[in-house]
Structures are given as structure tokens and as C-alpha cells.
Amino acid sequence: MKETEIYHLNDKTIKYLALVQSKRQHQYLGLPGNFKIRLPQEIVFPNFEIGRVDECYLTDENMLIILEEESGDITENVLKKFAKYVIFESYRYYKLLYLVAVCHKNPKNEFELYEYAPSMFIKVFYHYFSQDEIWCKYENVIIKVKQKEKLTEMESLDIVFVSKFISKRYAPSVIENLIEIFQRCAD
């Protein structure tokens, strides 16, 4: 009789953390439907090379959401990559598909219609948080915590996502400051 392999505790913890972060990020970005389940992120390109989407999951409305985080500009090559993701995932799951790009640089529009081939267009929905907006959210959280005010659910999510979307130059100091403020208030 073969023994059942038991996951290491850290394996379960990391999988749970990824699931929770995906669910909360879906909520934070205000995407359609409610997060239901994460799907495998591995894809196969038409030339049989292996690729990986940043996030892929289903909602309760049976919609497949592909979420990509882009730190650079949205170029023709990036849009081609997105189109390949859409082709593979729509074939694999045969669901309604919603492609979201979380941009660290301003894409200058809310969505883009991209012609991948004469009979294939993809629509990319962009989410962009300006650094001014991120700093305002950060300062709001700091002020409320210092004054021992209760945070709303979205303000609580700001703690996580401000740290994620703030400029990499400031991220370490922002995270350290948030930890310090919360430790001081907890004492």
C-alpha cells in the first residue's frame, strides 16, 4: 500500500497566501464578479514554448480572468503576448475571458482594442495607480493608524497594495514604516 504524501506545512501556507492575495487583489481592483478559484498559470505558446501568466482564475460568473502586471510600457510585443495568452486560455477553458493589465507606467487609457490578426481583436483593460494616488492612500492609512481610527476594508487592503504598487525605489522604506507604525500602535 502506497503512503499518501502529505504536503509540507509551508507548501500549504504559500498556496493559501497566493489564493488569498489573488482574491483580495480581485476585490481591490473592482473586477467583475467574485473570485472563485485560481487556475494553473502555465501556458503553451504556438511554437510550443512554455510560458506563464501572472494570474489566472475563475469568478462566480464563470468568467476567466487573466491578470498581468506590467512594469514597463505597453508595446506591440506586450500586446502580442497578451493575445497569445487569450488564445491559449480561451481554448483551454472555453469561458468568457477578461484580460486585465495592472500597469506601473501610465497606459494613458482605460482599455485598448488590439488587432492581433484580421479576424481577431483582443480588448485589454488597464488598471493604473498614479504614484500621487498611492502616496495619498499610504498617508491616509498612516494617519488613521496613528489616531487609532478603525480602517475600512478598502483601507486595510491599501496596506498590502500600496506596498505592492508604490515605486520600487520607495517600497522598502514604506513597508518598514508601515510595520513600525503598526508595532507602535499595538503596544
Side-chain angles (χ1 to χ4, degrees):
M1 186 169 149
K2 185 178 177 183
E3 286 187 39
T4 305
E5 187 176 333
I6 298 175
Y7 280 111
H8 188 274
L9 177 62
N10 289 338
D11 291 343
K12 287 181 182 179
T13 303
I14 288 171
K15 287 178 182 184
Y16 178 74
L17 287 173
L19 174 78
V20 170
Q21 181 179 348
S22 297
K23 182 178 181 179
R24 291 302 193 169
Q25 184 167 265
H26 176 87
Q27 178 185 0
Y28 192 73
L29 295 174
L31 300 177
N34 294 307
F35 177 92
K36 186 175 177 184
I37 188 168
R38 288 182 85 212
L39 299 170
Q41 297 160 302
E42 293 73 24
I43 67 160
V44 179
F45 290 112
N47 63 358
F48 294 105
E49 286 185 13
I50 304 285
R52 191 174 116 1
V53 297
D54 290 341
E55 190 63 62
C56 186
Y57 58 89
L58 286 175
T59 68
D60 60 349
E61 296 175 349
N62 222 14
M63 183 178 288
L64 175 69
I65 294 187
I66 297 174
L67 194 140
E68 280 293 303
E69 193 168 332
E70 289 298 322
S71 55
D73 292 323
I74 303 297
T75 63
E76 182 82 15
N77 285 339
V78 171
L79 291 168
K80 283 180 184 177
K81 175 183 75 169
F82 289 169
K84 290 174 185 176
Y85 290 171
V86 167
I87 291 167
F88 179 81
E89 297 293 2
S90 61
Y91 176 76
R92 185 181 198 184
Y93 294 107
Y94 198 70
K95 304 282 183 197
L96 295 174
L97 204 131
Y98 192 92
L99 175 63
V100 181
V102 178
C103 302
H104 290 265
K105 289 187 175 181
N106 190 348
K108 299 185 178 52
N109 47 4
E110 288 182 43
F111 66 88
E112 181 169 2
L113 201 57
Y114 173 68
E115 182 179 359
Y116 179 69
S119 62
M120 187 186 163
F121 290 81
I122 64 165
K123 188 173 185 178
V124 182
F125 293 91
Y126 296 119
H127 274 274
Y128 170 71
F129 298 102
S130 71
Q131 289 301 297
D132 289 342
E133 184 181 355
I134 295 293
W135 280 110
C136 285
K137 290 174 182 258
Y138 168 73
E139 289 169 5
N140 179 56
V141 167
I142 295 294
I143 289 167
K144 281 197 155 187
V145 170
K146 281 182 177 178
Q147 295 175 355
K148 298 192 183 229
E149 290 182 34
K150 185 175 181 176
L151 299 175
T152 66
E153 189 171 358
M154 288 307 275
E155 289 168 337
S156 298
L157 291 176
D158 282 340
I159 296 166
V160 175
F161 294 108
V162 160
S163 302
K164 181 176 181 178
F165 297 128
I166 199 141
S167 166
K168 288 181 180 170
R169 178 177 160 197
Y170 301 111
S173 61
V174 164
I175 292 168
E176 288 293 325
N177 194 27
L178 284 168
I179 291 168
E180 191 178 300
I181 294 288
F182 275 90
Q183 284 177 338
R184 252 192 276 137
C185 290
D187 295 336

